[in-house]
Amino acid sequence: AMYEANDIALQPLLIQIPILNIMISRYGRGPFIEQILPHLLSWARKREFIHRDGLSDTLIKITNILGIPLSIKHIVYPLLASLAKPNTHHVADTLVSIAEFTGENVVVEHYLPVLFSLLQKQLVRTVHPKVEAGPIIILGMINDLVGCMRRATVLRALVVESNAIVRTLLNPPNFSTIQ
């Protein structure tokens, strides 16, 4: 393995883009995605990770290195799926930062359908103190994502096609396809 998960001393080094560039160029995207990226995503999900700002910037730069299709599959979808868990506002912030980089088409085609599905699932759950913030986090994230889109796109995605929101809330798509 290129990296052992329990080696805490390497965490600050692994979020530095020059180091990651060397690893990707030397070992390739596949090994990086399989062996290093899961650790970076795990750290992104942890509220207590002390290098959060640097990690968010690193994930944006990794998105640029891997390209949008690989980043959607290996970064965006796993982080979106983690929004189903409580206390994930920090993950939402990272996802919004990535969305600002990837653009409105990614937001409309990949973020919004998953967010609407997550919102629907969280709204139909029995109210539980640890999960109550979930819909608020998701709605806040949708609000933040509006800033990544042009007005016409917002109107088309959220107002003109608002029946898609209602339809999603009443009959969610298959959530297992993003995992």
Side-chain angles (χ1 to χ4, degrees):
M2 289 194 297
Y3 169 72
E4 294 298 323
N6 59 1
D7 196 347
I8 294 173
L10 289 178
Q11 289 178 353
L13 293 174
L14 285 177
I15 64 171
Q16 294 182 17
I17 287 299
I19 303 267
L20 294 173
N21 274 332
I22 291 168
M23 294 168 76
I24 292 170
S25 65
R26 182 172 180 126
Y27 299 107
R29 290 180 180 174
F32 173 79
I33 289 170
E34 293 170 9
Q35 295 184 23
I36 300 297
L37 189 57
H39 298 294
L40 297 176
L41 295 177
S42 172
W43 299 338
R45 292 180 190 108
K46 292 181 181 177
R47 283 185 312 174
E48 64 277 357
F49 186 70
I50 60 173
H51 305 288
R52 173 145 328 282
D53 293 336
L55 179 60
S56 184
D57 292 341
T58 296
L59 288 173
I60 293 167
K61 291 174 182 162
I62 290 171
T63 299
N64 187 39
I65 294 167
L66 295 179
I68 291 177
L70 284 175
S71 296
I72 290 168
K73 180 177 180 181
H74 296 289
I75 297 173
V76 172
Y77 281 158
L79 289 178
L80 283 169
S82 71
L83 291 174
K85 297 177 181 168
N87 301 316
T88 56
H89 63 278
H90 56 282
V91 175
D93 294 341
T94 299
L95 281 163
V96 169
S97 296
I98 293 170
E100 290 169 349
F101 172 76
T102 58
E104 67 182 18
N105 289 335
V106 171
V107 170
V108 171
E109 293 176 25
H110 300 283
Y111 279 67
L112 293 180
V114 173
L115 290 172
F116 295 153
S117 177
L118 285 170
L119 183 61
Q120 189 275 337
K121 286 181 179 200
Q122 292 204 2
L123 289 174
V124 298
R125 282 188 184 154
T126 305
V127 177
H128 187 277
K130 290 185 177 178
V131 183
E132 279 184 26
I136 294 169
I137 290 169
I138 293 170
L139 288 170
M141 186 174 167
I142 292 170
N143 182 56
D144 292 343
L145 291 171
V146 165
C148 302
M149 299 184 285
R150 294 172 298 169
R151 288 182 184 180
T153 304
V154 171
L155 287 172
R156 187 179 73 248
L158 300 177
V159 178
V160 174
E161 298 175 8
S162 63
N163 63 350
I165 297 170
V166 173
R167 193 172 49 242
T168 300
L169 292 174
L170 296 175
N171 185 21
N174 185 356
F175 187 66
S176 65
T177 60
I178 70 159
Q179 296 177 358

